[in-house]
Amino acid sequence: MGCKIIWFTGLSGSGKTTLARRLKIFLINKNFKCLQIDGDSFRFKKKYKNSFTRSSIIRNNNLIIKDVERRKKYNDFIIVSVISPIKITREKAKKKFGDNYVEIFVNCSIKVLFKRDTKGLYRLAKNNQIKNLIGYNSNIKYEKTKYKKIVVNTNIQNINQSLNKIILKIKKKFNVKI
């Protein structure tokens, strides 16, 4: 089968990690070997301080791509959840993993992100305590890609609706029985 890479991308608080965790549990319950790599956890484990400049974001995402490459021989699925706002890094992952890669854009309106504010980042950014929150007050803008990807809109779809859409698309894309 070859390891399948499922790359969740989107703004902070959009639901990437929540959906990635739920997908991982679903796949493990179907007897697949799964690994989840989350952007926050990855930086913490690597003791890597991301200054959220363009170059540091690219470096961080390239480190994640390398980590995925190193671990793919041990897994059926690797699920990545990271903002990855710069399209060249997602394009690099797509090119590197080829047909075994699928990207999921977790879309959510800024109004809903402010309302959720799961990590308190939007409140801090609004109060100028954070000056580089991607999608709000950062010079780094989220760059959309033109190639085909799965899109879920978590401001209008609940977790189960989003997860079901993802599972159906993954089944079709990878032709797996799940």
Side-chain angles (χ1 to χ4, degrees):
M1 173 174 111
C3 184
K4 309 302 182 198
I5 313 305
I6 303 168
W7 193 284
F8 284 84
T9 179
L11 296 178
S12 181
S14 61
K16 298 176 305 297
T17 300
T18 300
L19 287 168
R21 280 189 196 130
R22 293 280 299 271
L23 180 61
K24 178 184 174 190
I25 291 166
F26 174 83
L27 292 169
I28 287 172
N29 286 335
K30 297 291 183 179
N31 297 314
F32 289 103
K33 290 180 189 166
C34 265
L35 173 69
Q36 181 184 354
I37 298 173
D38 180 72
D40 291 338
S41 301
F42 184 84
R43 283 190 313 278
F44 180 77
K45 284 180 190 170
K46 299 288 182 189
K47 295 177 176 56
Y48 174 63
K49 180 72 175 149
N50 189 340
S51 59
F52 295 99
T53 62
R54 183 173 179 84
S55 61
S56 69
I57 291 168
I58 290 170
R59 179 174 182 258
N60 183 62
N61 289 332
N62 284 335
L63 289 171
I64 291 172
I65 292 167
K66 273 185 168 175
D67 196 46
V68 169
E69 179 63 33
R70 187 175 58 80
R71 295 166 161 235
K72 70 180 189 173
K73 61 185 165 197
Y74 306 108
N75 294 281
D76 298 313
F77 290 91
I78 296 181
I79 303 165
V80 177
S81 53
V82 62
I83 295 171
S84 51
I86 300 168
K87 70 180 175 180
I88 59 168
T89 57
R90 297 189 316 272
E91 289 169 344
K92 180 179 180 178
K94 181 177 176 16
K95 184 176 180 182
K96 181 164 206 63
F97 303 118
D99 290 339
N100 288 329
Y101 173 89
V102 68
E103 192 172 295
I104 300 169
F105 176 58
V106 184
N107 190 27
C108 190
S109 71
I110 197 77
K111 181 179 175 183
V112 172
L113 292 173
F114 258 96
K115 199 180 293 184
R116 286 182 191 161
D117 205 7
T118 54
K119 298 177 188 173
L121 298 176
Y122 291 93
R123 179 182 44 79
L124 292 172
K126 185 177 181 183
N127 294 330
N128 290 319
Q129 293 172 290
I130 294 177
K131 300 198 185 317
N132 59 357
L133 183 60
I134 296 165
Y136 180 68
N137 64 350
S138 173
N139 291 333
I140 306 296
K141 304 298 178 213
Y142 187 91
E143 301 171 358
K144 294 185 179 179
T145 53
K146 296 190 189 307
Y147 55 77
K148 190 172 184 173
K149 64 194 129 315
I150 299 169
V151 177
V152 291
N153 294 297
T154 60
N155 53 314
I156 57 175
Q157 296 170 315
N158 66 34
I159 293 169
N160 288 332
Q161 291 169 324
S162 297
L163 186 63
N164 287 336
K165 179 178 182 177
I166 291 164
I167 291 167
L168 286 172
K169 298 281 187 174
I170 288 170
K171 279 171 72 171
K172 185 176 179 182
K173 161 113 174 112
F174 295 133
N175 196 25
V176 291
K177 296 187 188 300
I178 51 177

